[in-house]
């Protein structure tokens, strides 16, 4: 009985220690991605909020400071939308390749409400940098490393009533399309 209590106590201590560990950015002379550096990230976003959680696949292309191209699709890839973010405005790209200013109410839920309250510096957050708005909480859960850059693999972003868990499975740095 004493042995069992000792084992449980040790396991509890170890697990609570793991829960308290903060994830720090790798420091092996790796650079931080800047706003001017083009990159592309692919992965999934788990959106949690007022409605049931939903998973969205994404391909995020950061073209330059303030300009991004984002393709969002459902988990099966049956429905998709291409968005252009230019100077904090979102545009939808139609089938003819034309950009149409996108009011949030044109999108289906949960994208409509998430897009209307999405942090303006979401591309900055995806690179592991801190938010510019103090109402946005961003935390990198795990880092991946390339030969030159430290990039997030999993991160959490909280804003308003929403929480995003962003899981990036592929980074192409220096490539925007």
């Amino acid at each position: 009985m004493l042995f069992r209590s000792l084992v449980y106590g040790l396991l509890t201590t170890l697990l609570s220690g793991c829960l308290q560990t903060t994830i720090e950015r790798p420091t092996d002379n790796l650079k931080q991605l800047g706003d001017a550096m083009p990159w592309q990230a692919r992965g999934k976003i788990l959106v949690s909020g007022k409605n049931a959680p939903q998973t969205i696949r994404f391909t995020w292309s950061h073209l330059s400071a303030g300009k991004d191209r984002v393709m969002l699709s459902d988990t099966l890839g049956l429905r998709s939308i291409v968005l252009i973010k230019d100077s904090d405005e979102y545009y939808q790209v139609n089938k003819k390749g034309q950009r149409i200013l996108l009011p949030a109410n044109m999108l289906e839920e949960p994208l409509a409400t998430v897009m209307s309250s999405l942090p303006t510096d979401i591309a900055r957050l995806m690179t592991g940098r801190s938010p510019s708005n103090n109402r946005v909480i961003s935390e990198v859960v795990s880092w991946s490393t390339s030969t030159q850059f430290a990039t997030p693999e999993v991160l959490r972003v909280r804003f308003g009533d929403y929480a995003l868990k962003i899981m990036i499975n592929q980074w192409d740095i220096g490539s925007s399309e």
Side-chain angles (χ1 to χ4, degrees), residues 3-72:
F3 180 71
R4 184 180 295 171
S5 297
L6 182 62
V7 169
Y8 286 140
L10 182 61
L11 285 174
T12 303
T13 303
L14 288 173
L15 290 175
S16 65
C18 291
L19 293 174
Q20 300 297 324
T21 303
T22 57
I23 306 297
E24 295 184 16
R25 184 168 102 47
T27 57
D28 302 334
N29 298 323
L30 298 174
K31 297 183 228 173
Q32 182 85 40
L33 285 174
D35 288 336
M37 172 69 74
W39 52 262
Q40 186 177 75
R42 289 184 179 94
K44 296 179 185 178
I45 301 174
L46 176 63
V47 179
S48 302
K50 298 174 185 174
N51 300 330
Q54 182 164 348
T55 302
I56 301 167
R57 291 182 185 266
F58 72 91
T59 300
W60 194 292
S61 299
H62 180 71
L63 307 170
S64 63
K67 189 167 185 178
D68 298 295
R69 181 179 188 275
V70 184
M71 189 183 90
L72 303 172

Side-chain angles (χ1 to χ4, degrees), residues 6 26 79 85-86 92 104-106 122 129 144 156 175:
L6 182 62
R79 294 182 302 164
K85 180 181 180 255
D86 194 356
Q92 182 176 1
N105 61 4
M106 283 181 60
I122 189 71
R129 294 169 41 211
S144 64
R156 291 189 185 110
S175 165

